[in-house]
Amino acid sequence: MIEAETPVCASFWDVYKLLQRPGAGRHGSAAESISAYGAIDAEPVAYNGGRDRVYRIRGPGGKTQGIGSASNLAIIGRYVLTPEIFDSIQAIEPGSGGELQLTDALKHLLRNRPIYGYRFEGTRYDAGDKLGFLKATVEFALRRRDLGGPFREYLKG
């Protein structure tokens, strides 16, 4: 889950409209947690005068070992893909678990055209992780008008 003033997909779509290239959403992760995600090798590019949010991907990586990784930018499962991805999916061999892997298709696509990453603003909750799911549940519950007060009272015990 991602909480942001501007929805991540809307921000990412704006970047796509300008660059007309496929891309993937990225999020900076602490070195100790990067191994839970796929990291990328990327270089910042100028976009609207800034160099802090858009990256040209040199290589989408797989899951890394964390400390010493080339990047702290993690793949977070948000993509704007062009129809060429289907050719790449057909061209790759099954990977882990005998399944076609999107990361492998992106690596294949990267050979023929640039792919960009967008480092979004906002708070990301890893709902696939038990602690992350609980944090999101509690934080969102506390903000609700109908639940926030009663939930705070419950926490006071």
Side-chain angles (χ1 to χ4, degrees), residues 71-153:
S71 168
N72 76 330
L73 295 174
I75 299 168
I76 55 127
R78 303 293 191 277
Y79 302 93
V80 173
L81 300 173
T82 55
E84 295 89 355
I85 193 65
F86 295 109
D87 293 333
S88 292
I89 289 171
Q90 289 183 352
I92 63 172
E93 296 293 323
S96 177
E99 298 176 355
L100 296 173
Q101 302 293 318
L102 183 56
T103 301
D104 293 338
L106 290 170
K107 287 178 185 178
H108 181 272
L109 182 61
L110 189 59
R111 293 183 209 151
N112 300 312
R113 69 179 306 161
I115 300 175
Y116 292 89
Y118 174 71
R119 187 174 52 84
F120 63 86
E121 293 179 348
T123 303
R124 180 176 179 274
Y125 298 93
D126 185 350
D129 172 77
K130 291 174 188 171
L131 181 58
F133 178 78
L134 288 172
K135 286 178 182 179
T137 301
V138 169
E139 288 187 30
F140 280 89
L142 288 171
R143 291 186 207 141
R144 287 182 54 137
R145 287 190 176 139
D146 61 332
L147 296 175
F151 194 66
R152 280 186 190 83
E153 290 301 314

Side-chain angles (χ1 to χ4, degrees), residues 60-74:
K63 293 189 177 184
T64 67
Q65 296 304 310
I67 306 297
S69 296
S71 168
N72 76 330
L73 295 174

